[in-house]
Each structure stands twice: as structure tokens, then as C-alpha cells.
Amino acid sequence: DVQLQASGGGLVQAGGSLRLSCAASGLALDEYVIGWFRQAPGQQREGVSCMHISGGRTYYVDSVKGRFTISSDYAKNTVDLQMNSLKPVDTAVYYCAAESAWLTTNSHDYPYWGQGTLVTVSS
């Protein structure tokens, strides 16, 4: 079974940093695209970033460009999201997900999801 485990959320002040990690099991990372999504209260789920693991291509939504960095660690079978210069608007539950087709932040394209990890950014 494919399992994804997101961790690393917490409470941080505006301007601070957090590093989220998505631990994958039951799949070979280099055969997948891993996406990070977030959902704020009352909002739709939003694709934040994704990475085609074997090709190294990445995508970031405009609102996080220059602040967030997605990376993979084959040895640990994890995909991390380094989040710097956090803003209160970044507050959300963050999810990681996996799909085996193309680089996309359309959540409907992702069949495998981890549980969320809450990120709260205080002003």
C-alpha cells in the first residue's frame, strides 16, 4: 500500500520558517510527482508546489515563489517543503500527495494523499 506521512507543522511567527516533510512508503519516489497542497479554513484546497522526482522539475504557485523550496531525499524517501518568510496567509493544513503522470497542482490528478499537518503563522 502507498502511504504518505506529512509532518513538521507548527506555530511560527510571521517571518519565521518551517520545514515540512512527506515520508513515502509503498512507492518508488523517482516514479512519481509529489505535490504539496494546503487548505485554509473555509477555503478550497490549493496546490502550493510539486516536484517531478526523477526529472527534478518543480513548480510553485506564485504566492510562494522565492519563499518555499521543494526537495527530495532518495535515501530517506522523503520530499520536503522548506518554508521561509512565512506570512499569516500561509496558515493552513498542509498535505502531501503523489501521482505518477505529469507535473500538476490539480488535486484531482493525485490518487494518493497523506494526512495533513497544521501550519499556523501568527502576526
Side-chain angles (χ1 to χ4, degrees):
D1 289 348
V2 174
Q3 291 191 352
L4 302 172
Q5 180 83 24
S7 62
L11 173 64
V12 64
Q13 288 188 330
S17 298
L18 281 174
R19 189 176 184 90
L20 305 184
S21 186
C22 179
S25 61
L27 59 82
L29 270 186
D30 58 358
E31 296 177 4
Y32 284 81
V33 170
I34 303 297
W36 281 98
F37 296 80
R38 65 186 179 187
Q39 189 165 20
Q43 303 292 319
Q44 289 189 336
R45 189 166 296 187
E46 174 190 33
V48 174
S49 179
C50 57
M51 183 176 189
H52 190 281
I53 303 302
S54 63
R57 289 178 294 125
T58 59
Y59 169 84
Y60 300 93
V61 69
D62 284 347
S63 60
V64 307
K65 282 181 181 176
R67 299 189 298 123
F68 291 11
T69 303
I70 191 169
S71 62
S72 63
D73 187 328
Y74 283 148
K76 297 180 180 179
N77 223 42
T78 59
V79 177
D80 291 352
L81 186 68
Q82 178 66 41
M83 307 187 297
N84 298 328
S85 302
L86 283 162
K87 306 175 182 179
V89 295
D90 295 317
T91 295
V93 177
Y94 283 71
Y95 302 86
C96 61
E99 59 93 3
S100 59
W102 49 76
L103 204 65
T104 175
T105 53
N106 185 337
S107 61
H108 298 291
D109 291 328
Y110 287 77
Y112 305 111
W113 289 83
Q115 89 298 346
T117 185
L118 177 63
V119 172
T120 304
V121 185
S122 62
S123 58

